[in-house]
Structure formats: structure tokens, C-alpha cells
Amino acid sequence: MDLTVVIPAFNEAESIGPVLERLCERLSAVEQLQGAFEVLVVDDGSSDGTGEIARRASPLVTLVRHPYNLGNGAAVKTGIRQARGRVCVFMDADGQHDPEVITRIFRGCDDYDMVVGARDRRSQAGLHRHLANGLYNQLATYVTGRRIEDLTSGFRAIRRDVARRFVALLPNGFSYPTTITLCLMRAGFSVRYE
């Protein structure tokens, strides 16, 4: 298996169906991926039917459920542990990430250990978040000695064997993108921003 798309989901009943439909349609159209990908939705204890909607969305979707909400990072860690693909792509269940970009960041893992879908100012949720992320990026650049373009983006592709090396270090909350980026860079793995 070449690719596992991991989607952590908590109470995303309104968006998960269309997200999975677009994603599965897009991946099925990529000739090089025919039969060589899986979509893994980790329902993190949702109470709004997210898991049922995900399970019914497509036969290409595998659903894993947490019995209660453990956190976004915990759902990502479950996805890493369950993944069968050579490369894992993480994307949000709310529809903010474009499935059209997945093949580009996935293919980037032929040359890099991790490829991050970096956001620009237009794709940030407001000026205050853009400014805060800019500060985080500067601090992380200082700590790692390498330019960090988007420390907090959850849209990323990473080689599964590399992700598994760091899974125990990842927090259960929303800061897993920050942690895995810093871990990889400090350990000498290659990271690219797309």
C-alpha cells in the first residue's frame, strides 16, 4: 500500500460526508494510486453521528473509533499506528484542506521525509492567528536553525516509518504538528514546505 490518508474527526457530522466523497473521488482518479491507498477516519468519541456518516460515505473508508474524546493528537497517533501505507497524509475533517493537493505532498515524500502543506495569509483564520503563527514560525526557525514556513499546519505527508519513530512523543491535543516538525528537524530528517 502506498498511501494512507488519516482524518481525525470529532463531531464533524456536517462536513465529513462531503470531505470523504471529494477525497475518495480524487484519489480514485489518480492512476498511480489505483488500489494502493486507504482512507482511515479516526472518530475521536463523536456524539453527533460522525462515525456512522464516515462509515457509509464510501467503501474505501476504514473507520476506527475512540470510545470517548481523547484529543486530535491522540486520533492522529491512532491513525499512525493503524496505517498500512508507505506514506501517511493527515488532513482535517472540516473541509479546509483541498484533496487536489494530496497527490503533490504525497509525491514529495519520494524525496523528503515530511512535506507540509503550508498556508499563506489568505488561508489563515484571521489576522490574529496569522500573526501568532508567524511568531511561532520565527521561534521554531531559531530553535531548529532551519526556516519554518508553517509550524502548525495539520495538512502534511510523512513517511510512515518516520512517523512511527516519534508517535510516543506526540501530545494528545492539537499541538502534534508542532511537535512532529521539531522532532524531525532536530533528528536530522528532511522537511519540505509546499
Side-chain angles (χ1 to χ4, degrees):
M1 175 122 357
D2 289 328
L3 170 65
T4 298
V5 178
V6 176
I7 303 176
F10 176 65
N11 289 339
E12 295 287 357
E14 299 227 353
S15 60
I16 193 74
V19 166
L20 292 172
E21 184 178 311
R22 284 182 56 220
L23 174 65
C24 292
E25 182 179 294
R26 173 64 185 129
L27 294 178
S28 295
V30 178
E31 190 173 316
Q32 300 92 326
L33 288 176
Q34 303 268 317
F37 71 90
E38 65 180 344
V39 176
L40 186 61
V41 174
V42 182
D43 179 2
D44 191 29
S46 296
S47 60
D48 67 349
T50 294
E52 289 304 313
I53 294 168
R55 191 166 46 81
R56 291 190 313 257
S58 170
L60 299 172
V61 173
T62 300
L63 177 66
V64 177
R65 287 190 168 156
H66 288 169
Y68 53 88
N69 183 253
L70 297 171
N72 182 265
V76 166
K77 292 192 290 188
T78 295
I80 292 169
R81 291 181 182 117
Q82 298 283 328
R84 296 180 297 150
R86 175 183 61 84
V87 172
C88 296
V89 169
F90 306 106
M91 66 182 287
D92 292 343
D94 62 6
Q96 70 172 298
H97 301 138
D98 185 356
E100 295 292 323
V101 181
I102 286 179
T103 52
R104 199 164 69 209
I105 65 173
F106 162 69
R107 288 187 181 125
C109 283
D110 290 341
D111 298 316
Y112 295 87
D113 297 302
M114 183 168 70
V115 179
V116 179
R119 299 164 293 184
D120 61 17
R121 183 174 178 201
R122 293 180 311 261
S123 59
Q124 299 272 338
L127 179 62
H128 67 286
R129 182 155 313 162
H130 172 70
L131 294 173
N133 284 339
L135 180 63
Y136 298 147
N137 294 342
Q138 288 177 350
L139 181 59
T141 296
Y142 173 76
V143 169
T144 63
R146 295 179 52 203
R147 188 170 190 291
I148 306 286
E149 293 181 36
D150 192 346
L151 184 64
T152 61
S153 172
F155 191 36
R156 55 188 60 226
I158 184 171
R159 293 179 182 173
R160 182 189 65 188
D161 61 322
V162 174
R164 286 187 174 167
R165 290 179 67 166
F166 299 102
V167 73
L169 298 175
L170 301 180
N172 289 338
F174 277 100
S175 61
Y176 90 87
T178 301
T179 304
I180 202 160
T181 300
L182 295 175
C183 286
L184 261 69
M185 287 187 166
R186 295 299 294 170
F189 289 97
S190 58
V191 177
R192 176 181 177 184
Y193 288 90
E194 183 72 41

